[in-house]
Amino acid sequence: MAERTEAAKPDAAEEKAEHTEKKPCCCHKKKERSEKEYKDLIHRLNRIEGQIRGIRNMVEQDAYCPDILIQVAAANAALNSFNKVLLGNHLRTCVANDIREGHDETIDELLKVLQRLMK
């Protein structure tokens, strides 16, 4: 894979700043992520995005249905894995901190999220 020149390639902090400036969050809360957590999540999403593009290419090239279905299952598994990592990070940081600070409503929020995830 060809690498972009350093001048054209934004560093992770710039990418993070661009992301936050361009797309406002859909909720009122925000989370400060460590550089490692941020890079891991972005890396996972980039891989998933590549899988989805691959599935689209398979459809465009009239690939055999079972072959496409297997790739869709792999993309679903990658999204589930992303959710598990994100949820684990959320529990270890946001939820734990809120509980320590006496914000019990965070538990109700977490239960609602889990109910939506388990549909």
Side-chain angles (χ1 to χ4, degrees):
M1 180 188 309
E3 289 188 20
R4 294 185 279 177
T5 63
E6 286 300 314
K9 183 179 177 184
D11 66 12
E14 288 173 347
E15 280 184 18
K16 189 174 183 179
E18 285 177 13
H19 173 73
T20 354
E21 291 171 6
K22 290 181 184 176
K23 296 180 182 178
C25 183
C26 62
C27 62
H28 63 282
K29 294 182 181 182
K30 293 195 176 201
K31 173 166 193 276
E32 290 293 322
R33 290 182 174 81
S34 71
E35 195 64 26
K36 181 183 179 315
E37 179 184 358
Y38 174 78
K39 284 181 179 180
D40 177 56
L41 293 172
I42 294 298
H43 180 70
R44 287 172 178 273
L45 288 171
N46 286 340
R47 284 197 328 250
I48 293 165
E49 185 178 13
Q51 286 177 298
I52 300 302
R53 278 195 306 270
I55 293 166
R56 184 185 64 221
N57 288 340
M58 291 177 78
V59 171
E60 290 172 349
Q61 295 170 6
D62 298 322
Y64 189 53
C65 296
D67 295 338
I68 297 172
L69 291 167
I70 289 168
Q71 292 307 310
V72 170
N76 280 331
L79 278 169
N80 285 334
S81 178
F82 176 87
N83 270 351
K84 288 175 191 174
V85 168
L86 189 61
L87 180 60
N89 292 340
H90 180 60
L91 289 170
R92 282 186 217 93
T93 58
C94 302
V95 174
N97 291 336
D98 280 358
I99 289 172
R100 279 188 213 109
E101 294 173 6
H103 301 290
D104 292 338
E105 66 274 6
T106 300
I107 295 170
D108 294 329
E109 178 187 64
L110 178 61
L111 289 172
K112 287 178 187 175
V113 169
L114 290 173
Q115 287 172 348
R116 293 186 76 181
L117 288 174
M118 293 180 174
K119 283 186 178 180

